[in-house]
Amino acid sequence: HYKEERWHHLPSILQHVRFNLLTSDDKTAIWEHPLVKNAPQVSEVTRNAVQVVDTSNLKARAGMDKQEMAFLFSARTSEMLFINPRAGRFFSCYFTENLESVIAATVTSNNDIYILAELCYEELSLFLYNYVENGWEYKSMVANPRRSDEFHFVSHEYLVEINGQLHYFAVLVPYSMKAFVVHQKYNQYTDQWQECSLPQLASYNQKCVVVPCRQHLYYFTNTEMHRYDATEDRWCRLTPPNAIPSPCTAVAMGTEIFCTDNKFGKLAVYDIGSDSWRMLPGLHDPESSDFFNCDLFVLEDKLYIVLTSISSESEQADHWLLVYDQSTGDWKDLNVALPRTIGCWRPHGSMCSVACMYMAYMKANCRCTEHSGAS
């Protein structure tokens, strides 16, 4: 098929191959393959591509000690908290970057951690976490929807991955109090953000959540629910919960979406297959507790929630960590005190994001707090 005419495409193709994740045996197999070994021109281009690979963000090899960890951001400092209740570990890390400006965070299916930060009035900056250097690399920018004087504030902003692409979704409230939605996706190959279709909201409730689940994006309030299909760039209406007046956190586990509010009196569970809801218990006495924030997350196939309460007399917050016991249908207080920070810990999304963290890098760059692990 006219190989000579196709060789000039090799450099542009090979730059997308992650040679830094290959073992030495993998690379040897490439060199010994007839298509490479018997074609000097192909061999030279391939070897050059391997040599220029930047290993600064090389993720740990398979077999290195690693753990799933949920992470939160400090509200008033450039600090992050990584937690694994079962392993009994907390890691708190300080960064030179201004993490106080972070507005949204996510972890992709490739275990890449991304954040969106408002470093200036005109744009939002996209950063990628570097595991080895324990820092953030600038990747792209998207126009800041708040740069217009028309808008009063942004009620909710989200960064999620759908079908391998990052999506930025925001609900804004102008002075007129009529909701305005922004939805864009990021094309990493062209470094461009593209407009996506928007849900047709029947009304606006300041309490809403956005959750990715099984290659779809779900937006819902107590009274309406929409699902986004990225392959068709189309939204459709679904059955709303009608049981959580002020939803503040939601997370997907398998084919179900779990949601609750700041009182955590009950948990609404949505089944994506049957488009139906059921209820699970929350706290036994929700009226006695009105938390500043509640944040769900799924870690190692278990459902957790972080409850946050802030005293009016202090700038510091108290946090409680609970795990759901499927055998009894109750929530178990793990009696674990999260490390203190100025203000509180928050996830920048509908749930605490979870990533697979490499312990060698965490121990080298972060402060570790050990406690008795919980099952």
Side-chain angles (χ1 to χ4, degrees):
H1 297 286
Y2 305 103
K3 294 180 181 179
E4 292 77 6
E5 295 182 7
R6 293 184 292 152
W7 278 340
H8 70 280
H9 293 298
L10 266 180
S12 60
I13 295 174
L14 292 176
Q15 67 178 336
H16 300 295
V17 178
R18 299 189 174 190
F19 290 106
N20 56 350
L21 298 182
L22 297 180
T23 65
S24 57
D25 291 340
D26 294 332
K27 294 176 184 178
T28 299
I30 293 175
W31 309 142
E32 295 300 321
H33 194 283
L35 290 177
V36 176
K37 186 176 182 179
N38 299 331
Q41 193 168 356
V42 175
S43 178
E44 180 182 359
V45 172
T46 306
R47 289 182 184 276
N48 288 339
V50 174
Q51 290 173 359
V52 301
V53 168
D54 179 10
T55 60
S56 62
N57 197 27
L58 176 61
K59 294 178 184 175
R61 301 217 49 78
M64 179 181 283
D65 182 22
K66 54 186 178 181
Q67 290 180 359
E68 280 192 354
M69 305 196 85
F71 60 83
L72 297 136
F73 298 82
S74 173
R76 299 187 185 180
T77 69
S78 292
E79 183 181 13
M80 287 180 67
L81 179 67
F82 297 84
I83 61 177
N84 184 307
R86 179 197 57 78
R89 283 174 172 170
F90 295 143
F91 288 97
S92 53
C93 301
Y94 287 90
F95 295 89
T96 57
E97 297 86 355
N98 178 18
L99 295 189
E100 296 177 64
S101 62
V102 174
I103 61 170
T106 194
V107 178
T108 69
S109 55
N110 197 38
N111 204 45
D112 289 323
I113 304 175
Y114 285 94
I115 58 174
L116 267 181
E118 187 180 26
L119 300 180
C120 67
Y121 189 60
E122 293 295 324
E123 65 187 41
L124 303 176
S125 299
L126 180 69
F127 291 90
L128 171 66
Y129 178 66
N130 185 311
Y131 285 85
V132 178
E133 301 296 332
N134 192 42
W136 298 91
E137 300 175 352
Y138 174 82
K139 302 301 291 184
S140 181
M141 60 77 63
V142 59
N144 189 349
R146 284 175 284 185
R147 68 189 185 278
S148 171
D149 292 336
E150 175 188 359
F151 303 118
H152 185 200
F153 65 89
V154 175
S155 60
H156 301 280
E157 289 179 282
Y158 305 92
L159 184 66
V160 298
E161 180 198 34
I162 312 172
N163 286 343
Q165 282 192 301
L166 292 175
H167 286 245
Y168 168 59
F169 189 91
V171 180
L172 304 95
V173 183
Y175 293 112
S176 63
M177 296 305 292
K178 182 179 180 181
F180 183 86
V181 179
V182 175
H183 183 196
Q184 300 179 4
K185 66 179 179 180
Y186 177 58
N187 187 324
Q188 61 178 333
Y189 301 111
T190 63
D191 190 30
Q192 298 291 323
W193 290 83
Q194 303 168 345
E195 298 291 337
C196 298
S197 65
L198 305 176
Q200 299 299 311
L201 303 182
S203 61
Y204 176 67
N205 186 326
Q206 293 186 14
K207 300 296 184 179
C208 68
V209 287
V210 169
V211 184
C213 181
R214 294 295 177 98
Q215 305 304 318
H216 290 90
L217 184 66
Y218 292 82
Y219 164 93
F220 61 93
T221 67
N222 185 44
T223 57
E224 65 176 308
M225 184 172 186
H226 303 262
R227 182 185 64 203
Y228 176 69
D229 186 335
T231 59
E232 299 182 4
D233 189 31
R234 182 175 59 88
W235 292 83
C236 65
R237 288 184 178 275
L238 300 172
T239 303
N242 289 313
I244 307 293
S246 301
C248 69
T249 181
V251 67
M253 182 165 63
T255 59
E256 294 182 319
I257 297 175
F258 299 81
C259 174
T260 190
D261 58 16
N262 280 343
K263 288 187 178 296
F264 190 40
K266 54 187 172 182
L267 199 71
V269 185
Y270 176 75
D271 185 283
I272 65 173
S274 62
D275 185 31
S276 61
W277 292 85
R278 62 187 175 91
M279 294 297 134
L280 292 179
L283 293 182
H284 294 298
D285 187 14
E287 295 304 322
S288 64
S289 301
D290 191 6
F291 296 103
F292 172 76
N293 211 24
C294 298
D295 299 300
L296 290 163
F297 65 94
V298 173
L299 185 75
E300 298 172 340
D301 297 321
K302 288 184 176 293
L303 183 64
Y304 293 85
I305 191 167
V306 178
L307 306 178
T308 303
S309 178
I310 296 181
S311 170
S312 58
E313 301 175 356
S314 171
E315 290 187 348
Q316 292 187 325
D318 291 316
H319 300 84
W320 293 267
L321 187 58
L322 286 70
V323 62
Y324 182 66
D325 189 333
Q326 292 184 332
S327 62
T328 64
D330 293 323
W331 289 87
K332 176 184 177 182
D333 188 346
L334 299 181
N335 295 313
V336 171
L338 299 189
R340 291 276 190 168
T341 186
I342 299 176
C344 65
W345 298 108
R346 56 185 181 178
H348 292 304
S350 291
M351 77 293 291
C352 303
S353 296
V354 172
C356 188
M357 306 302 297
Y358 305 100
M359 294 300 99
Y361 301 145
M362 298 297 288
K363 292 175 181 177
N365 297 308
C366 305
R367 185 176 70 250
C368 178
T369 300
E370 300 282 347
H371 66 88
S372 56
S375 59

